[in-house]
Amino acid sequence: MASYGSSLNLSQSLASGPEKSSPAWKPSHSRSSSTLSSSRHVVKDWEVIDETQAGGDNPHEVTTPGICEGYLLKRRKWPLKGWHKRYFVLEVGNLRYSKNQQDVCRGRVQGSLDVGLAVMSINKKSNRIELDAGDILYHMKAKSHELFYIWVTKLQAHRLYKKNASSHCAAAGQSLRNGDLVSGGVAHPAEAPSGVPPSANSKVSAWLQQSHDPDLCVQELHRCNVELSEINRLIQRLQMLDTGQTLTNGDLKRIISIQNLSLEKPRKPRSGKIWGHSRTLSRVEALGMPLRGITKSLSSSHLGSSTNLGASASSIPDYVFSQLPPPTFTSPEGKRIQQDICAMSLRVIASLKAVHETLSQERQKLQEAWETNNIHQANTLAEPAAESHGPPSVADSAAEYFDASYDVICGSSSDVSDESGLSEGSTTDSEPEEGHASATRKYRASISRTPNSAVPKSTGRRTTLPAHCPDNSHVGLMAILYNNIGKDLARVSMPAPLNEPLNLLQRLCEELEYSELLDTANNTPDPYQRMVYIAAFAISGYSTATFRNRYKPFNPVLGETYECIREDRGFRLISEQVCHHPPISACHADSENFSFWQDQRWKNKFWGKSLEILPTGMVNATLPRYGDHYEWNKVVTCIHNVLSQQRYLEHYGEVTIRNLKSDVCTCKITFVKSRYWGSETNKNEVQGAVLDQSGSIIHRFGGLWHEGIFCDTLPTPKCVWKPNPQPKDHLLYYGFSSLAMELNELDADLKPLLPPTDSRLRPDQRLLEEGKVEEADRKKDDIEEFQRERRKELNKKGKEHVPRFFRKAKDSCGRDVWLSNDSYWKLRENPGFANTENINVW
């Protein structure tokens, strides 16, 4: 259920215990990043591109790349099904997009991304490009392999330019702080001259205070930078006017990277059109007769050896070649003049760049002085600028952990689903409605005024764990993840220090933390109001995600079980690991007021900085008083910045709740994807509506999935759900809630009643809970090896594992589901598991 969004999602993660794809790192838990040294990681059909090694030491060796603009297919933000057509513009390392070209020209962009800060992955077979900047993720697709090649070439050029420019600015800033002269003869006043009177600083302060438009400097610097880029582009065009040159593969790639390209075919004029025929300039006509041999020389060779894209010159669209400058015939004197112009322009560019960099540094220092309100101090402007805190090191990043998920091959695969919604002409927008932000602010204010529910009475169970959570900073997470980009993370065994002392089967029980919402729904006669409480319950399961992003739960072994009897909450639950590849966990809970069941399965996509977790399968709940059977799906979970200290988790997509026994009403819930430029206060938005048979809205509700849900259309507007307060020192105990603290507790009275497959009897999980990390790590290896041997023995006998307490069936839509066979509680009561034959799982 929704709970996955919180912890589970992170949970099902990386490692299916028993399989190890690369055990070499395991014994020492090293931080080694040797796997990052290669410039390209090829996994299946995906390639992670890194151009940092191709730039050289001198950033001036990389020319300013030209503009590239045109339509690409972009995956919808939510529910991540299908694609829509968007107009992209790539300029000076900044990628912007909107619905059409006119909106981009008017500045109405829907998104913007600095490609120099993003991880770039490509898939040549499907013409896919993925840009992952940590807090924003773009899925793009080209309509043809030729356009795909051009976009990849341009993106590589812009990424390299931005990275070199950043390193050059950092070096220039260091020299300025050291008081060295920069090129162009401009020096940084690292130390005020002794002859400057004390009043000089006060004059500077007065000047700063009189600057009512401090952003004017930013605009001027931006304009200067654009003009420099334009001059550089013109110089490159002049240098290409040698009519006798012979282009090579690298030359064509360089030309494409520095040329301003519009990748849309010009529309043919209606007048003069010959019926049944269309004509486009051939590349020979576009480039001129002297370049007739270029196509021939390139038609049999592959372009872009660095990316091995395999696009030939003959396959580059004619309208792209037509944008290249036509050749001109000049006299020897004209050529000499052009050479002089180029040489002079290059010197001017070098000088202007030095001035631009110096002004940028000075402007930054003045801005810092303005913001810190210390401009009245005499030595403020003379002190070196504070060292900026750059991105975390490999060691720091490795200390952070994200919870991934299994890549389950069930339903349609990601590549198949990518195609399912493909519509080049579709312009349907998946952005949230304009009213979402204002409505959420209203709901949030109402929730904040609602007092917290009374603290639950003591249940007599434990309130802390035997030991604090361990430090896992010694685990080389970055090297592990980059070594497995695109792979099935279910087959990667992870060390015990990255786990929390709970199991995925126990995580299923956590989704019932707010089961009182189901109790309330069963006692609510109005069907529309009942749907509101069912929706609140579906949302409540995501709330634990706020505090559970540092560790992952143990992955259950095949045949493992977990039972939970909660007299205080009025339900009992049984869960079992029914399948290993793909991994599926099934659960069933009973109460006087409800029945709840689901089988949990996930697939994941790791993009270099972000991890997307896509759940499949449905969640079910029935209310016996009214005979209702509710069914709903789960949303996508994305962990952003998984390798940095600024990691955060986001849920986005649409949940549709249907009553399979009645069509009186349905419910649609939207988990809003945060905008790139949105504020922190607008994250985690969720809003929904209950609709009648005609589609009219009966109830509206909303809020934030980590703070609560408010419904203002009930007869008495109220907060229908608010999460319980976290226990004291919860961060020392894996971020567990009060219920999570109790799930793995094992007392002497309960132990004889449990089957030997219960998660509370799992030795490695118990050792980790007691703080014995190294012993838990060794025991975890033994359990995984034992399961591999057990599976081999079954294969030799030609047998398959048969779940003990669940059976496979079909739902009303023909989907495979796992349902309880109602045998667990009967066997527990009579004759008891101690008197039955049980399998050995560890």
PDB file of all heavy atoms in Angstrom, residues 505-506 508-512 562-566 571-576 586-590 596-597 758 760 806 824-825:
ATOM      1  N   LEU A 505       8.535  -8.004   5.051  1.00  0.00           N
ATOM      2  CA  LEU A 505       7.249  -8.541   5.480  1.00  0.00           C
ATOM      3  C   LEU A 505       6.691  -7.743   6.655  1.00  0.00           C
ATOM      4  O   LEU A 505       5.479  -7.560   6.790  1.00  0.00           O
ATOM      5  CB  LEU A 505       7.407 -10.013   5.871  1.00  0.00           C
ATOM      6  CG  LEU A 505       7.908 -10.952   4.765  1.00  0.00           C
ATOM      7  CD1 LEU A 505       8.115 -12.352   5.323  1.00  0.00           C
ATOM      8  CD2 LEU A 505       6.941 -10.977   3.593  1.00  0.00           C
ATOM      9  N   GLN A 506       7.583  -7.258   7.513  1.00  0.00           N
ATOM     10  CA  GLN A 506       7.144  -6.431   8.626  1.00  0.00           C
ATOM     11  C   GLN A 506       6.754  -5.036   8.162  1.00  0.00           C
ATOM     12  O   GLN A 506       5.876  -4.396   8.751  1.00  0.00           O
ATOM     13  CB  GLN A 506       8.256  -6.365   9.678  1.00  0.00           C
ATOM     14  CG  GLN A 506       8.540  -7.707  10.330  1.00  0.00           C
ATOM     15  CD  GLN A 506       9.855  -7.719  11.096  1.00  0.00           C
ATOM     16  OE1 GLN A 506      10.886  -7.286  10.590  1.00  0.00           O
ATOM     17  NE2 GLN A 506       9.813  -8.239  12.318  1.00  0.00           N
ATOM     18  N   LEU A 508       5.136  -4.445   5.518  1.00  0.00           N
ATOM     19  CA  LEU A 508       3.747  -4.541   5.085  1.00  0.00           C
ATOM     20  C   LEU A 508       2.794  -4.290   6.247  1.00  0.00           C
ATOM     21  O   LEU A 508       1.724  -3.702   6.084  1.00  0.00           O
ATOM     22  CB  LEU A 508       3.481  -5.917   4.474  1.00  0.00           C
ATOM     23  CG  LEU A 508       4.175  -6.233   3.150  1.00  0.00           C
ATOM     24  CD1 LEU A 508       3.868  -7.657   2.718  1.00  0.00           C
ATOM     25  CD2 LEU A 508       3.756  -5.263   2.071  1.00  0.00           C
ATOM     26  N   CYS A 509       3.194  -4.736   7.415  1.00  0.00           N
ATOM     27  CA  CYS A 509       2.359  -4.511   8.599  1.00  0.00           C
ATOM     28  C   CYS A 509       2.328  -3.031   8.977  1.00  0.00           C
ATOM     29  O   CYS A 509       1.332  -2.536   9.507  1.00  0.00           O
ATOM     30  CB  CYS A 509       2.873  -5.352   9.766  1.00  0.00           C
ATOM     31  SG  CYS A 509       1.842  -5.289  11.238  1.00  0.00           S
ATOM     32  N   GLU A 510       3.404  -2.313   8.703  1.00  0.00           N
ATOM     33  CA  GLU A 510       3.443  -0.885   9.010  1.00  0.00           C
ATOM     34  C   GLU A 510       2.384  -0.095   8.256  1.00  0.00           C
ATOM     35  O   GLU A 510       1.998   0.992   8.683  1.00  0.00           O
ATOM     36  CB  GLU A 510       4.830  -0.315   8.687  1.00  0.00           C
ATOM     37  CG  GLU A 510       5.862  -0.534   9.765  1.00  0.00           C
ATOM     38  CD  GLU A 510       7.068   0.347   9.568  1.00  0.00           C
ATOM     39  OE1 GLU A 510       7.003   1.548   9.912  1.00  0.00           O
ATOM     40  OE2 GLU A 510       8.080  -0.162   9.052  1.00  0.00           O
ATOM     41  N   GLU A 511       1.932  -0.615   7.132  1.00  0.00           N
ATOM     42  CA  GLU A 511       0.917   0.096   6.374  1.00  0.00           C
ATOM     43  C   GLU A 511      -0.418   0.138   7.108  1.00  0.00           C
ATOM     44  O   GLU A 511      -1.315   0.882   6.726  1.00  0.00           O
ATOM     45  CB  GLU A 511       0.749  -0.552   4.999  1.00  0.00           C
ATOM     46  CG  GLU A 511       2.026  -0.512   4.178  1.00  0.00           C
ATOM     47  CD  GLU A 511       1.797  -0.904   2.733  1.00  0.00           C
ATOM     48  OE1 GLU A 511       0.622  -0.939   2.318  1.00  0.00           O
ATOM     49  OE2 GLU A 511       2.777  -1.167   2.027  1.00  0.00           O
ATOM     50  N   LEU A 512      -0.541  -0.653   8.160  1.00  0.00           N
ATOM     51  CA  LEU A 512      -1.758  -0.650   8.967  1.00  0.00           C
ATOM     52  C   LEU A 512      -1.599   0.181  10.235  1.00  0.00           C
ATOM     53  O   LEU A 512      -2.381   0.037  11.184  1.00  0.00           O
ATOM     54  CB  LEU A 512      -2.136  -2.080   9.340  1.00  0.00           C
ATOM     55  CG  LEU A 512      -2.628  -2.959   8.183  1.00  0.00           C
ATOM     56  CD1 LEU A 512      -2.764  -4.402   8.638  1.00  0.00           C
ATOM     57  CD2 LEU A 512      -3.944  -2.445   7.629  1.00  0.00           C
ATOM     58  N   TYR A 562       5.757 -13.828   8.553  1.00  0.00           N
ATOM     59  CA  TYR A 562       5.678 -12.912   9.693  1.00  0.00           C
ATOM     60  C   TYR A 562       4.219 -12.807  10.112  1.00  0.00           C
ATOM     61  O   TYR A 562       3.325 -12.656   9.270  1.00  0.00           O
ATOM     62  CB  TYR A 562       6.207 -11.533   9.331  1.00  0.00           C
ATOM     63  CG  TYR A 562       6.054 -10.529  10.453  1.00  0.00           C
ATOM     64  CD1 TYR A 562       6.883 -10.590  11.571  1.00  0.00           C
ATOM     65  CD2 TYR A 562       5.076  -9.545  10.404  1.00  0.00           C
ATOM     66  CE1 TYR A 562       6.739  -9.685  12.614  1.00  0.00           C
ATOM     67  CE2 TYR A 562       4.925  -8.633  11.435  1.00  0.00           C
ATOM     68  CZ  TYR A 562       5.763  -8.706  12.535  1.00  0.00           C
ATOM     69  OH  TYR A 562       5.623  -7.817  13.581  1.00  0.00           O
ATOM     70  N   GLU A 563       3.980 -12.917  11.406  1.00  0.00           N
ATOM     71  CA  GLU A 563       2.634 -12.733  11.940  1.00  0.00           C
ATOM     72  C   GLU A 563       2.619 -11.557  12.896  1.00  0.00           C
ATOM     73  O   GLU A 563       3.635 -11.229  13.539  1.00  0.00           O
ATOM     74  CB  GLU A 563       2.147 -13.981  12.667  1.00  0.00           C
ATOM     75  CG  GLU A 563       2.764 -14.159  14.054  1.00  0.00           C
ATOM     76  CD  GLU A 563       1.980 -15.113  14.946  1.00  0.00           C
ATOM     77  OE1 GLU A 563       1.673 -16.229  14.493  1.00  0.00           O
ATOM     78  OE2 GLU A 563       1.703 -14.746  16.113  1.00  0.00           O
ATOM     79  N   CYS A 564       1.482 -10.897  12.981  1.00  0.00           N
ATOM     80  CA  CYS A 564       1.332  -9.777  13.916  1.00  0.00           C
ATOM     81  C   CYS A 564      -0.100  -9.783  14.437  1.00  0.00           C
ATOM     82  O   CYS A 564      -1.059  -9.697  13.656  1.00  0.00           O
ATOM     83  CB  CYS A 564       1.630  -8.443  13.220  1.00  0.00           C
ATOM     84  SG  CYS A 564       1.527  -7.011  14.317  1.00  0.00           S
ATOM     85  N   ILE A 565      -0.233  -9.912  15.750  1.00  0.00           N
ATOM     86  CA  ILE A 565      -1.542  -9.868  16.402  1.00  0.00           C
ATOM     87  C   ILE A 565      -1.575  -8.637  17.288  1.00  0.00           C
ATOM     88  O   ILE A 565      -0.754  -8.507  18.203  1.00  0.00           O
ATOM     89  CB  ILE A 565      -1.799 -11.138  17.235  1.00  0.00           C
ATOM     90  CG1 ILE A 565      -1.696 -12.382  16.361  1.00  0.00           C
ATOM     91  CG2 ILE A 565      -3.158 -11.066  17.915  1.00  0.00           C
ATOM     92  CD1 ILE A 565      -1.842 -13.681  17.129  1.00  0.00           C
ATOM     93  N   ARG A 566      -2.481  -7.709  16.994  1.00  0.00           N
ATOM     94  CA  ARG A 566      -2.576  -6.467  17.755  1.00  0.00           C
ATOM     95  C   ARG A 566      -3.985  -6.349  18.334  1.00  0.00           C
ATOM     96  O   ARG A 566      -4.914  -5.887  17.673  1.00  0.00           O
ATOM     97  CB  ARG A 566      -2.271  -5.269  16.859  1.00  0.00           C
ATOM     98  CG  ARG A 566      -0.858  -5.254  16.301  1.00  0.00           C
ATOM     99  CD  ARG A 566       0.179  -5.251  17.408  1.00  0.00           C
ATOM    100  NE  ARG A 566       0.056  -4.123  18.292  1.00  0.00           N
ATOM    101  CZ  ARG A 566       0.930  -3.118  18.340  1.00  0.00           C
ATOM    102  NH1 ARG A 566       2.022  -3.148  17.584  1.00  0.00           N
ATOM    103  NH2 ARG A 566       0.746  -2.119  19.159  1.00  0.00           N
ATOM    104  N   PHE A 571      -6.635  -6.068  14.967  1.00  0.00           N
ATOM    105  CA  PHE A 571      -6.412  -6.832  13.742  1.00  0.00           C
ATOM    106  C   PHE A 571      -5.294  -7.841  13.959  1.00  0.00           C
ATOM    107  O   PHE A 571      -4.503  -7.747  14.901  1.00  0.00           O
ATOM    108  CB  PHE A 571      -6.079  -5.913  12.554  1.00  0.00           C
ATOM    109  CG  PHE A 571      -4.714  -5.271  12.619  1.00  0.00           C
ATOM    110  CD1 PHE A 571      -3.576  -5.953  12.202  1.00  0.00           C
ATOM    111  CD2 PHE A 571      -4.558  -3.971  13.082  1.00  0.00           C
ATOM    112  CE1 PHE A 571      -2.322  -5.370  12.254  1.00  0.00           C
ATOM    113  CE2 PHE A 571      -3.310  -3.373  13.133  1.00  0.00           C
ATOM    114  CZ  PHE A 571      -2.185  -4.073  12.715  1.00  0.00           C
ATOM    115  N   ARG A 572      -5.227  -8.800  13.046  1.00  0.00           N
ATOM    116  CA  ARG A 572      -4.117  -9.738  12.999  1.00  0.00           C
ATOM    117  C   ARG A 572      -3.702  -9.889  11.532  1.00  0.00           C
ATOM    118  O   ARG A 572      -4.540  -9.836  10.629  1.00  0.00           O
ATOM    119  CB  ARG A 572      -4.500 -11.089  13.596  1.00  0.00           C
ATOM    120  CG  ARG A 572      -5.617 -11.817  12.857  1.00  0.00           C
ATOM    121  CD  ARG A 572      -5.986 -13.120  13.527  1.00  0.00           C
ATOM    122  NE  ARG A 572      -6.974 -13.876  12.737  1.00  0.00           N
ATOM    123  CZ  ARG A 572      -7.454 -15.054  13.096  1.00  0.00           C
ATOM    124  NH1 ARG A 572      -7.044 -15.618  14.242  1.00  0.00           N
ATOM    125  NH2 ARG A 572      -8.340 -15.672  12.335  1.00  0.00           N
ATOM    126  N   LEU A 573      -2.397 -10.077  11.312  1.00  0.00           N
ATOM    127  CA  LEU A 573      -1.852 -10.085   9.956  1.00  0.00           C
ATOM    128  C   LEU A 573      -0.888 -11.245   9.797  1.00  0.00           C
ATOM    129  O   LEU A 573      -0.159 -11.607  10.728  1.00  0.00           O
ATOM    130  CB  LEU A 573      -1.137  -8.760   9.669  1.00  0.00           C
ATOM    131  CG  LEU A 573      -0.353  -8.647   8.360  1.00  0.00           C
ATOM    132  CD1 LEU A 573      -0.557  -7.282   7.713  1.00  0.00           C
ATOM    133  CD2 LEU A 573       1.140  -8.889   8.591  1.00  0.00           C
ATOM    134  N   ILE A 574      -0.876 -11.812   8.587  1.00  0.00           N
ATOM    135  CA  ILE A 574       0.103 -12.813   8.208  1.00  0.00           C
ATOM    136  C   ILE A 574       0.672 -12.423   6.850  1.00  0.00           C
ATOM    137  O   ILE A 574      -0.068 -12.012   5.955  1.00  0.00           O
ATOM    138  CB  ILE A 574      -0.522 -14.237   8.146  1.00  0.00           C
ATOM    139  CG1 ILE A 574       0.456 -15.240   7.534  1.00  0.00           C
ATOM    140  CG2 ILE A 574      -1.818 -14.215   7.364  1.00  0.00           C
ATOM    141  CD1 ILE A 574       1.728 -15.423   8.320  1.00  0.00           C
ATOM    142  N   SER A 575       1.977 -12.516   6.712  1.00  0.00           N
ATOM    143  CA  SER A 575       2.641 -12.210   5.439  1.00  0.00           C
ATOM    144  C   SER A 575       3.663 -13.294   5.144  1.00  0.00           C
ATOM    145  O   SER A 575       4.196 -13.935   6.054  1.00  0.00           O
ATOM    146  CB  SER A 575       3.312 -10.831   5.483  1.00  0.00           C
ATOM    147  OG  SER A 575       4.218 -10.744   6.563  1.00  0.00           O
ATOM    148  N   GLU A 576       3.941 -13.495   3.866  1.00  0.00           N
ATOM    149  CA  GLU A 576       4.854 -14.548   3.437  1.00  0.00           C
ATOM    150  C   GLU A 576       5.553 -14.125   2.151  1.00  0.00           C
ATOM    151  O   GLU A 576       4.957 -13.451   1.302  1.00  0.00           O
ATOM    152  CB  GLU A 576       4.098 -15.856   3.203  1.00  0.00           C
ATOM    153  CG  GLU A 576       4.985 -17.022   2.758  1.00  0.00           C
ATOM    154  CD  GLU A 576       4.207 -18.295   2.503  1.00  0.00           C
ATOM    155  OE1 GLU A 576       2.960 -18.257   2.579  1.00  0.00           O
ATOM    156  OE2 GLU A 576       4.835 -19.343   2.233  1.00  0.00           O
ATOM    157  N   ALA A 586       3.478 -11.225  -0.003  1.00  0.00           N
ATOM    158  CA  ALA A 586       2.024 -11.169   0.111  1.00  0.00           C
ATOM    159  C   ALA A 586       1.630 -11.049   1.572  1.00  0.00           C
ATOM    160  O   ALA A 586       2.326 -11.543   2.466  1.00  0.00           O
ATOM    161  CB  ALA A 586       1.388 -12.416  -0.510  1.00  0.00           C
ATOM    162  N   CYS A 587       0.508 -10.365   1.817  1.00  0.00           N
ATOM    163  CA  CYS A 587       0.026 -10.217   3.191  1.00  0.00           C
ATOM    164  C   CYS A 587      -1.493 -10.237   3.202  1.00  0.00           C
ATOM    165  O   CYS A 587      -2.149  -9.950   2.175  1.00  0.00           O
ATOM    166  CB  CYS A 587       0.552  -8.938   3.834  1.00  0.00           C
ATOM    167  SG  CYS A 587      -0.238  -7.434   3.238  1.00  0.00           S
ATOM    168  N   HIS A 588      -2.052 -10.566   4.374  1.00  0.00           N
ATOM    169  CA  HIS A 588      -3.506 -10.551   4.566  1.00  0.00           C
ATOM    170  C   HIS A 588      -3.764 -10.235   6.034  1.00  0.00           C
ATOM    171  O   HIS A 588      -3.162 -10.827   6.930  1.00  0.00           O
ATOM    172  CB  HIS A 588      -4.130 -11.900   4.203  1.00  0.00           C
ATOM    173  CG  HIS A 588      -5.623 -11.889   4.271  1.00  0.00           C
ATOM    174  ND1 HIS A 588      -6.409 -11.673   3.159  1.00  0.00           N
ATOM    175  CD2 HIS A 588      -6.485 -12.058   5.313  1.00  0.00           C
ATOM    176  CE1 HIS A 588      -7.679 -11.710   3.507  1.00  0.00           C
ATOM    177  NE2 HIS A 588      -7.756 -11.944   4.817  1.00  0.00           N
ATOM    178  N   ALA A 589      -4.662  -9.260   6.263  1.00  0.00           N
ATOM    179  CA  ALA A 589      -5.009  -8.853   7.631  1.00  0.00           C
ATOM    180  C   ALA A 589      -6.520  -8.924   7.803  1.00  0.00           C
ATOM    181  O   ALA A 589      -7.285  -8.584   6.883  1.00  0.00           O
ATOM    182  CB  ALA A 589      -4.506  -7.441   7.911  1.00  0.00           C
ATOM    183  N   ASP A 590      -6.934  -9.349   8.984  1.00  0.00           N
ATOM    184  CA  ASP A 590      -8.362  -9.471   9.311  1.00  0.00           C
ATOM    185  C   ASP A 590      -8.679  -8.645  10.543  1.00  0.00           C
ATOM    186  O   ASP A 590      -7.858  -8.512  11.466  1.00  0.00           O
ATOM    187  CB  ASP A 590      -8.737 -10.930   9.581  1.00  0.00           C
ATOM    188  CG  ASP A 590      -8.836 -11.741   8.290  1.00  0.00           C
ATOM    189  OD1 ASP A 590      -9.438 -11.243   7.331  1.00  0.00           O
ATOM    190  OD2 ASP A 590      -8.289 -12.858   8.257  1.00  0.00           O
ATOM    191  N   PHE A 596      -7.854  -6.675   4.740  1.00  0.00           N
ATOM    192  CA  PHE A 596      -6.861  -5.931   3.956  1.00  0.00           C
ATOM    193  C   PHE A 596      -5.857  -6.925   3.387  1.00  0.00           C
ATOM    194  O   PHE A 596      -5.376  -7.803   4.113  1.00  0.00           O
ATOM    195  CB  PHE A 596      -6.158  -4.912   4.863  1.00  0.00           C
ATOM    196  CG  PHE A 596      -4.948  -4.265   4.250  1.00  0.00           C
ATOM    197  CD1 PHE A 596      -5.076  -3.155   3.431  1.00  0.00           C
ATOM    198  CD2 PHE A 596      -3.668  -4.749   4.499  1.00  0.00           C
ATOM    199  CE1 PHE A 596      -3.964  -2.552   2.868  1.00  0.00           C
ATOM    200  CE2 PHE A 596      -2.559  -4.166   3.946  1.00  0.00           C
ATOM    201  CZ  PHE A 596      -2.706  -3.062   3.125  1.00  0.00           C
ATOM    202  N   TRP A 597      -5.568  -6.828   2.092  1.00  0.00           N
ATOM    203  CA  TRP A 597      -4.566  -7.712   1.500  1.00  0.00           C
ATOM    204  C   TRP A 597      -3.926  -7.048   0.283  1.00  0.00           C
ATOM    205  O   TRP A 597      -4.499  -6.161  -0.346  1.00  0.00           O
ATOM    206  CB  TRP A 597      -5.174  -9.060   1.126  1.00  0.00           C
ATOM    207  CG  TRP A 597      -6.122  -9.041  -0.053  1.00  0.00           C
ATOM    208  CD1 TRP A 597      -5.830  -9.245  -1.358  1.00  0.00           C
ATOM    209  CD2 TRP A 597      -7.533  -8.810   0.008  1.00  0.00           C
ATOM    210  NE1 TRP A 597      -6.960  -9.164  -2.126  1.00  0.00           N
ATOM    211  CE2 TRP A 597      -8.023  -8.906  -1.311  1.00  0.00           C
ATOM    212  CE3 TRP A 597      -8.434  -8.540   1.051  1.00  0.00           C
ATOM    213  CZ2 TRP A 597      -9.371  -8.738  -1.619  1.00  0.00           C
ATOM    214  CZ3 TRP A 597      -9.765  -8.375   0.744  1.00  0.00           C
ATOM    215  CH2 TRP A 597     -10.224  -8.472  -0.575  1.00  0.00           C
ATOM    216  N   ASP A 758       9.411 -17.469  10.965  1.00  0.00           N
ATOM    217  CA  ASP A 758       9.004 -16.100  11.298  1.00  0.00           C
ATOM    218  C   ASP A 758      10.208 -15.166  11.305  1.00  0.00           C
ATOM    219  O   ASP A 758      11.308 -15.537  11.756  1.00  0.00           O
ATOM    220  CB  ASP A 758       8.304 -16.062  12.655  1.00  0.00           C
ATOM    221  CG  ASP A 758       7.582 -14.747  12.880  1.00  0.00           C
ATOM    222  OD1 ASP A 758       8.232 -13.777  13.321  1.00  0.00           O
ATOM    223  OD2 ASP A 758       6.370 -14.683  12.591  1.00  0.00           O
ATOM    224  N   ARG A 760      11.015 -12.726  13.118  1.00  0.00           N
ATOM    225  CA  ARG A 760      11.585 -12.418  14.434  1.00  0.00           C
ATOM    226  C   ARG A 760      12.615 -13.446  14.868  1.00  0.00           C
ATOM    227  O   ARG A 760      13.386 -13.206  15.790  1.00  0.00           O
ATOM    228  CB  ARG A 760      10.469 -12.328  15.464  1.00  0.00           C
ATOM    229  CG  ARG A 760       9.789 -10.982  15.501  1.00  0.00           C
ATOM    230  CD  ARG A 760       8.493 -11.020  16.242  1.00  0.00           C
ATOM    231  NE  ARG A 760       7.478 -11.759  15.504  1.00  0.00           N
ATOM    232  CZ  ARG A 760       6.174 -11.547  15.638  1.00  0.00           C
ATOM    233  NH1 ARG A 760       5.742 -10.628  16.475  1.00  0.00           N
ATOM    234  NH2 ARG A 760       5.299 -12.250  14.942  1.00  0.00           N
ATOM    235  N   PHE A 806      -0.333 -18.989   1.143  1.00  0.00           N
ATOM    236  CA  PHE A 806      -0.970 -18.185   0.102  1.00  0.00           C
ATOM    237  C   PHE A 806      -1.082 -19.010  -1.177  1.00  0.00           C
ATOM    238  O   PHE A 806      -0.291 -19.924  -1.416  1.00  0.00           O
ATOM    239  CB  PHE A 806      -0.166 -16.898  -0.168  1.00  0.00           C
ATOM    240  CG  PHE A 806      -0.299 -15.871   0.917  1.00  0.00           C
ATOM    241  CD1 PHE A 806       0.478 -15.951   2.064  1.00  0.00           C
ATOM    242  CD2 PHE A 806      -1.197 -14.824   0.801  1.00  0.00           C
ATOM    243  CE1 PHE A 806       0.371 -15.011   3.075  1.00  0.00           C
ATOM    244  CE2 PHE A 806      -1.326 -13.871   1.808  1.00  0.00           C
ATOM    245  CZ  PHE A 806      -0.538 -13.968   2.938  1.00  0.00           C
ATOM    246  N   TYR A 824      -3.163 -20.498   8.004  1.00  0.00           N
ATOM    247  CA  TYR A 824      -2.166 -20.130   9.019  1.00  0.00           C
ATOM    248  C   TYR A 824      -2.749 -20.181  10.426  1.00  0.00           C
ATOM    249  O   TYR A 824      -2.205 -20.854  11.321  1.00  0.00           O
ATOM    250  CB  TYR A 824      -1.596 -18.741   8.727  1.00  0.00           C
ATOM    251  CG  TYR A 824      -0.502 -18.337   9.693  1.00  0.00           C
ATOM    252  CD1 TYR A 824       0.814 -18.684   9.453  1.00  0.00           C
ATOM    253  CD2 TYR A 824      -0.794 -17.646  10.869  1.00  0.00           C
ATOM    254  CE1 TYR A 824       1.829 -18.333  10.344  1.00  0.00           C
ATOM    255  CE2 TYR A 824       0.196 -17.292  11.766  1.00  0.00           C
ATOM    256  CZ  TYR A 824       1.511 -17.639  11.500  1.00  0.00           C
ATOM    257  OH  TYR A 824       2.508 -17.304  12.387  1.00  0.00           O
ATOM    258  N   TRP A 825      -3.847 -19.463  10.632  1.00  0.00           N
ATOM    259  CA  TRP A 825      -4.370 -19.357  11.992  1.00  0.00           C
ATOM    260  C   TRP A 825      -4.954 -20.689  12.472  1.00  0.00           C
ATOM    261  O   TRP A 825      -4.951 -20.979  13.672  1.00  0.00           O
ATOM    262  CB  TRP A 825      -5.421 -18.253  12.060  1.00  0.00           C
ATOM    263  CG  TRP A 825      -4.870 -16.925  11.605  1.00  0.00           C
ATOM    264  CD1 TRP A 825      -5.177 -16.243  10.477  1.00  0.00           C
ATOM    265  CD2 TRP A 825      -3.878 -16.151  12.282  1.00  0.00           C
ATOM    266  NE1 TRP A 825      -4.444 -15.089  10.394  1.00  0.00           N
ATOM    267  CE2 TRP A 825      -3.641 -14.990  11.495  1.00  0.00           C
ATOM    268  CE3 TRP A 825      -3.154 -16.301  13.464  1.00  0.00           C
ATOM    269  CZ2 TRP A 825      -2.723 -14.013  11.852  1.00  0.00           C
ATOM    270  CZ3 TRP A 825      -2.243 -15.323  13.825  1.00  0.00           C
ATOM    271  CH2 TRP A 825      -2.025 -14.198  13.027  1.00  0.00           C
TER     272      TRP A 825
END
